[in-house]
Amino acid sequence: MVFKPFTHLARQSLGKTFTHGYAQSVVAATQSSYASSTTPFGPFSSHAAIKFSKHGSSQLYSSFQPPPTPSSKTASGGQLGPVLQDSLEDGGLAAYYEAWQKQQGKLGGGQEWKQFQFPLRIGWKGPNALPDGKNVKRGEVRRRPDTLLDPNSGLDRAYSSSAVDDIKKAEDVVAEAAAVEEVDKAIAQEISSLQITSALPSTAASHDQASVDIMNTLTAAPTQTTNTTSPTQCSLSLTDNTVTTPDSLVLSDAVVQLREAGRYTEIPAAFELLLTRNMQPSVGAYNALLAAAIELPAAKHQVVSQALNIYTSMLRRQVAPDTAFYTTLLELLSQQAVDVHQAKLTMTLKRRRYYNPGLGESEDIFLLQSDESESAILLQDDAFSTAIKVFDVAVTTTEDRSFSSEAYGSLVTACALHGRIEDMLRIHAHLEVNKVLPRASMFPPMIEAFARRGDLRSAVECYDGYKDLATQNDMGCDTLVDRNDNEVYAAVIKSYAMCGREEAGNRFLSRIIESFDGNVEDAGARLEALRDTVITRGLIQHQIDAAQYAEALDTAATRSLSPSARSNAFAHICSAAADHNDRKSAIEAYRVIDKTAPEMSMAALSMLALHVRCDQLDEARTFWSVLYGSPNAEISLVEPTTMYAVALIRTGHIDEALQHAREAFNRMRASVDTTGAQIQIKEKIDEAIERIGDLISTTGIVLSPQARMILLWAMSENNGPVSPVSEHLLAGLEPVAFSTLSWQDIVLLLRTEAAMISSGMFLQDVAHVARFEYLMDIVTRQGVFVEEMTVKIVEQTLKALETRRPDLVTKWQNTRHMDVQQSHVPTLNSVTPSVAMTTPGLSPDAYDPYAASTDHKGSNVITSILDNTRSRRGANLDEALSLLRNMRRAGQHPRYVVYSNLIASAAKEGRANLIFDLLRTAKQDLPLLPQYSSVRDGWSLILDSMVGACLTVGNRAAAFEYHQELLQIGSAPTANTFGLYITTLKDSARTLDEANEALNIFCRAEQEGVEPTSFLYNALIGKLAKARRIDHCYFYFSQMRKRGIQPTSITYGTMINAMTRVSDEWQAEQVFNEMEGMPNYKPRPAPYNCMMQFFLGTKRDGVKVLEYYSRMLSQGIRPTSHTYKLLIETHATLAPIDMAAAEGVLNEIRASGERPEATHYAALVHAKGYSLRDVESARATFDAAIANPEVGPHACLYQALFESMVTNHRVKETDELLEHMASRGVEMTAYIANTLIHGWATAGNLAKAQAIYESVGMEKREPSTYDVMTRGFLAFNERQQALNVVHEVLSKGYPLPVTNRIASLLGPNGSRAASTTPAGLMA
């Protein structure tokens, strides 16, 4: 395949590329027409190209070809000869070009172009020594077209353009002799220019001594060439006129010895020393250089480019590569071809996964521009075709040449992946002819390649060949390398499925499994490994590739797989289904993935992208939490983070989006420790920030000052300002916005603006200087210490503005001079604090304008009264208020914190009016003066208490107002106040999705810079546990620990509750044991009750229930009423049932000084009637409880008896009990109604069921009530009535999971039908 000569120029200019022009380098070296007049450009620029350009400006150099410098001319210690000097200046083909011009002049325009012949080396034997083409023996190295020294040969141009065909010998002996004579003269001239003064060693002893001397020289070579080469670079284009001498052989041997010693970093410099001395490197030296290119740290694409440059250099200097060189090169190229194929698949997946239809995007474009560029580069990569060419050249020049099993394996795999069946068979045949042991890893790709072409017969024959080799291997023969039968079996099974022969594949698998019966060592473990590999990588992988996700789910669920393999299979199914927008299959697969498995993050990533594409951000938040909480924060998270942030910004959740992005970027940077990885991930993050900024600027979204700062901090923590995003963010900051920012934010803005001005940005926008001046004024007015780095940045910026704004320089210098003077003023606080307080010029932060009228002693007294817990409830507050009134009569007032404590105490007492009275008093005594930081700090305490107090008394609207006032003075509520936001959600609305709202509150707390506390985490985890969102619970519990916040006993209890709700027994017990082992553990009954409830209701394990009850008593914890109820239910409902022990619990309650409650009797009633099916005994216990004056009638007693009667199909007897309940003043509850509705519907009396439903007012109906009534209507085919019930539940605004579960009862289209809610119902 011939490439256009100029194509590699564009490739070489790409900084981030996989190709680096290496394919063209190979073709250039193997085509005699490459340096024709149509090829003026290349890595070795022609004389004419350089002639009309600046010196060296048009030359291109790879990692192994740095640009020549004057120092490189003297690397060997002396001046280079004229020929070498010219080759350094004009490029390696300058002589080639001049000779071609001379030849053209001699032959005239009508003559055909002739190949220029490179100079011969010392030791050339003349024309008679040239081997005749007809007499080349097998095994001899055939010479390349560029080594034939016949300028007048009549070679055909088309023929001479390829170096992989056999070469015909030219017959013009006269012209050949003339060429030889000319070359001899050139060689003599070069030898004289080298000025070799030392005699060459001739004997074996002198040869050894010379080798030692040269090794010493090479050891110092890196030091001598430090100005020209790095450890990974070597100039291969110094000259083509190198010669082979005994000394060059010794030098080459020394390079080989460096390789044998593992001193790879010294090889490039040592090799260049060979070239600077105009010596011909040996094949071994080139092999050593190739080994150094591979071993030294570099990117894979750079290694390939360097290797091919070395190959090109060999061919240009007429050094025939040996088998070892070809083997290494083929291994490198073929593995690169496999890697590029996989990278292309990854790019396709990225394009399909990361796009946002809500922004008008399609899957034809990439989210990030770097991915677009990388994809284009991958499409141009031709490592595979280059590998095939090199292989053909190698086997053509020497027919009996063979390579390593690794080279053959990689080549065959690359051919299989690229669908080149003929090449694959040809290479495999060459392997067999040369009796090289095949690698087992190449058989699965071969088998699948045949299957993709529909050739099942060839696929089976390929397997049969592997089976024969495996059979011989079992008998002790060395026939396979790295044998892996399971992968081959999986490929065969997949091939059967690909060709539509699933049944035949199943029969094949059955025969394989039968072969393990009792005759194989470790049959059980090997059989499990076989099934895992064959089913997941064979059957399931085929179904995933064919987009048969439902079938793949069924296979993973029904086939015999180990737990880890099953979870892994579900994760891959989930990821593939989500990427192809099969939401149903993806969700079904995600539900059954092991949440602790490492592949969980892979599935969560795909699910996040799916829900973002579907514009379902509420669901996307769940998967973002899982993804963010994963231990591995890799560079692959940049795209999902960007996609999620863009989606949140588009829907108005700007602060949340930017905060999440900033935190994720920080985790990604912290996850890598190498410099190269840091640079790569920072560049990717910069691109993500630019993508986010582009959305903000193009859509016209207005950001709050806090949001702007979040994005600016994200840039600062990465690589600094990203243009033009930073300019857009700064331009939108008005002067009034600076008052809402913290001191750190102001300093960051100053540094950012200074960096922009230093880069010359002020020449384009004069507003930069104005903002810089304003920010500098703020900093200097505050008088706060500024870190040295900021001072240096500001001073550098002022130097750039010195000619334009000298006044700024003067102002800064004066301010700095004052700061230096003040830093030597004695501290006055310790001597005369009143003077310090009344001198705002000395310390603005410490100055308090109300210090003189503050009663500190009285403030301490009020605080101690409020903290007293022994007095009667409310008495402390009244006494403190009395002291406050006396203090104010004396013309004084308390400290800020006292007002804060008084407001909090009034809220605990429920005295809402007093809260606002105290606030008005504080405003009279301590008016807010925001210019004083001490006043702002004091009012932050007061307003924070107001937010918490309003939440406590249920006035959330007022809490929001005071929250905004806090933000306006540059502060925010405390973490405990945000915790109150969460804990008071249950009082704000019955139908609120508390878990999502709690997450939103927590995110807002982080956005406002609040450091979470254990109380805030406890509140959040509690709401998440109630909603059974265990993934979120794990995440925030782990985050709490990472932040160094010690979990409390409440935290552990909340986590245990969350784990038991999702039946995670192992985790619950682990956390419980960890809780008991805490050094500061405060025993509480709730965790023990939770574990007892779990083993009672979920696991039905009475032994465990009693075990935790004993542990509770051993900790000295007094059982609660709920504990006793659980004990009764344990004895009465779990085998072996011991009703006497259950009733004996009532005596234990009395013995402890407590009284049995209605819930205890209700447990006995339910156990007798429901578990034992003894309604009469249940009724007797019920009557005894009702008659007991200590208990009396209670709804839970009636509910227990109703459930007993319904369970025993005696629902018709409930009318009498309903009348009895009404007569005793017990109201109908939703749970009693649920039982009766179910009972009457089961009995076939829909009218009675509906009457019970109507007896419960709409405001008292629970989701379970709507559920049971809907089922009742559907049981009687009353679909319209059921639809009305669903409409009603939708109108109440319950969370989506609740309403969707009820709407799904209507059938597959139930949600859609229910969504058409009549206007009247919605009203």
Side-chain angles (χ1 to χ4, degrees), residues 429-450:
H430 194 272
L431 174 147
E432 291 182 330
V433 168
N434 289 279
K435 299 180 180 180
V436 178
L437 294 182
R439 299 187 70 84
S441 60
M442 75 181 188
F443 285 91
M446 291 176 66
I447 294 171
E448 293 181 21
F450 286 122

Side-chain angles (χ1 to χ4, degrees), residues 104-160:
Q104 287 292 96
K106 293 177 182 179
L107 297 178
Q111 290 285 344
E112 190 177 45
W113 179 87
K114 304 301 181 184
Q115 168 68 41
F116 172 75
Q117 302 305 319
F118 289 95
L120 293 180
R121 290 350 183 211
I122 294 176
W124 181 68
K125 301 300 183 181
N128 295 330
L130 288 172
D132 186 80
K134 299 179 181 179
N135 298 322
V136 175
K137 296 180 180 180
R138 184 187 181 103
E140 287 185 343
V141 178
R142 300 184 182 181
R143 302 180 70 83
R144 292 289 187 279
D146 51 4
T147 65
L148 296 179
L149 303 177
D150 185 6
N152 298 320
S153 62
L155 294 177
D156 181 79
R157 178 182 175 88
Y159 171 77
S160 64

Side-chain angles (χ1 to χ4, degrees), residues 1125 1129 1158-1171 1174-1175 1178-1179 1181-1182 1194-1208 1214 1217 1221 1229 1231-1232 1235:
K1125 175 179 178 292
E1129 292 178 350
T1159 55
H1160 303 139
Y1161 286 99
L1164 287 172
V1165 172
H1166 188 272
K1168 292 177 179 179
Y1170 186 86
S1171 301
D1174 188 354
V1175 179
R1179 183 60 186 261
T1181 304
F1182 171 82
H1194 198 278
C1196 64
L1197 286 168
Y1198 287 97
Q1199 180 180 342
L1201 188 56
F1202 279 128
E1203 290 177 356
S1204 301
M1205 299 171 73
V1206 169
T1207 302
N1208 290 276
T1214 59
L1217 188 61
M1221 184 177 75
T1229 66
Y1231 302 104
I1232 293 175
T1235 302

Side-chain angles (χ1 to χ4, degrees), residues 116-418:
F116 172 75
Q117 302 305 319
F118 289 95
L120 293 180
R121 290 350 183 211
I122 294 176
W124 181 68
K125 301 300 183 181
N128 295 330
L130 288 172
D132 186 80
K134 299 179 181 179
N135 298 322
V136 175
K137 296 180 180 180
R138 184 187 181 103
E140 287 185 343
V141 178
R142 300 184 182 181
R143 302 180 70 83
R144 292 289 187 279
D146 51 4
T147 65
L148 296 179
L149 303 177
D150 185 6
N152 298 320
S153 62
L155 294 177
D156 181 79
R157 178 182 175 88
Y159 171 77
S160 64
S161 64
S162 175
V164 298
D165 300 328
D166 293 333
I167 303 171
K168 296 179 180 180
K169 185 174 183 293
E171 298 178 356
D172 195 342
V173 180
V174 178
E176 184 178 50
V180 170
E181 182 179 358
E182 182 179 354
V183 170
D184 287 339
K185 293 179 181 179
I187 292 174
Q189 183 181 1
E190 289 186 26
I191 292 175
S192 62
S193 67
L194 288 175
Q195 300 178 356
I196 301 176
T197 59
S198 59
L200 296 177
S202 56
T203 64
S206 63
H207 183 282
D208 294 339
Q209 182 61 38
S211 178
V212 173
D213 296 339
I214 293 170
M215 277 298 295
N216 294 333
T217 303
L218 290 180
T219 303
T223 304
Q224 297 170 355
T225 59
T226 51
N227 294 329
T228 61
T229 60
S230 69
T232 60
Q233 291 180 328
C234 175
S235 178
L236 298 176
S237 58
L238 288 175
T239 180
D240 291 341
N241 298 324
T242 53
V243 293
T244 302
T245 67
D247 207 4
S248 68
L249 295 177
V250 176
L251 274 169
S252 296
D253 291 342
V255 175
V256 173
Q257 291 176 29
L258 288 176
R259 177 191 179 183
E260 293 173 352
R263 295 158 62 181
Y264 294 105
T265 56
E266 302 175 23
I267 291 177
F271 190 91
E272 188 170 358
L273 188 61
L274 266 170
L275 303 182
T276 57
R277 293 186 177 184
N278 210 23
M279 296 179 180
Q280 176 79 319
S282 67
V283 177
Y286 273 109
N287 284 336
L289 185 61
L290 180 61
I294 295 174
E295 293 295 333
L296 294 178
K300 182 65 177 293
H301 61 277
Q302 294 175 345
V303 173
V304 174
S305 176
Q306 293 167 0
L308 287 169
N309 283 334
I310 296 170
Y311 180 46
T312 305
S313 174
M314 290 185 72
L315 301 183
R316 195 173 60 247
R317 291 186 173 87
Q318 306 176 24
V319 179
D322 60 3
T323 299
F325 186 92
Y326 275 123
T327 298
T328 305
L329 186 60
L330 286 174
E331 289 177 4
L332 188 64
L333 288 174
S334 55
Q335 188 57 50
Q336 170 73 355
V338 174
D339 294 343
V340 168
H341 181 270
Q342 184 60 42
K344 288 179 181 178
L345 297 179
T346 302
M347 286 295 120
T348 302
L349 179 61
K350 280 187 177 183
R351 188 173 56 216
R352 181 187 301 121
R353 179 182 290 169
Y354 301 122
Y355 72 95
N356 196 329
L359 294 173
E361 299 174 351
S362 66
E363 60 180 78
D364 296 331
I365 60 174
F366 286 92
L367 180 67
L368 302 179
Q369 184 60 38
S370 62
D371 292 334
E372 185 81 37
S373 302
E374 186 173 352
S375 177
I377 293 170
L378 289 172
L379 291 176
Q380 296 177 6
D381 187 276
D382 43 16
F384 173 68
S385 60
T386 305
I388 296 298
K389 285 185 175 69
V390 172
F391 174 82
D392 290 339
V393 169
V395 299
T396 301
T397 54
T398 303
E399 295 179 0
D400 60 348
R401 174 175 282 152
S402 63
F403 311 103
S404 66
S405 59
E406 289 81 3
Y408 282 114
S410 298
L411 276 172
V412 169
T413 300
C415 291
L417 294 176
H418 287 80

Side-chain angles (χ1 to χ4, degrees), residues 494-571:
K494 186 177 179 181
S495 298
Y496 275 115
M498 292 167 67
C499 296
R501 300 283 301 279
E502 289 86 353
E503 291 299 326
N506 290 331
R507 290 195 299 270
F508 172 80
L509 178 59
S510 300
R511 291 196 301 270
I512 298 298
I513 293 175
E514 291 171 1
S515 66
F516 282 86
D517 292 344
N519 300 323
V520 182
E521 185 179 357
D522 297 330
R526 293 182 60 184
L527 183 58
E528 180 181 282
L530 169 70
R531 284 174 172 160
D532 289 348
T533 303
V534 171
I535 294 174
T536 56
R537 302 188 184 181
L539 288 176
I540 295 177
Q541 188 58 51
H542 162 69
Q543 291 165 341
I544 291 176
D545 294 341
Q548 300 172 354
Y549 305 116
E551 292 81 355
L553 284 170
D554 182 67
T555 302
T558 57
R559 293 292 187 123
S560 178
L561 291 172
S562 65
S564 60
R566 193 184 308 279
S567 179
N568 184 53
F570 281 125

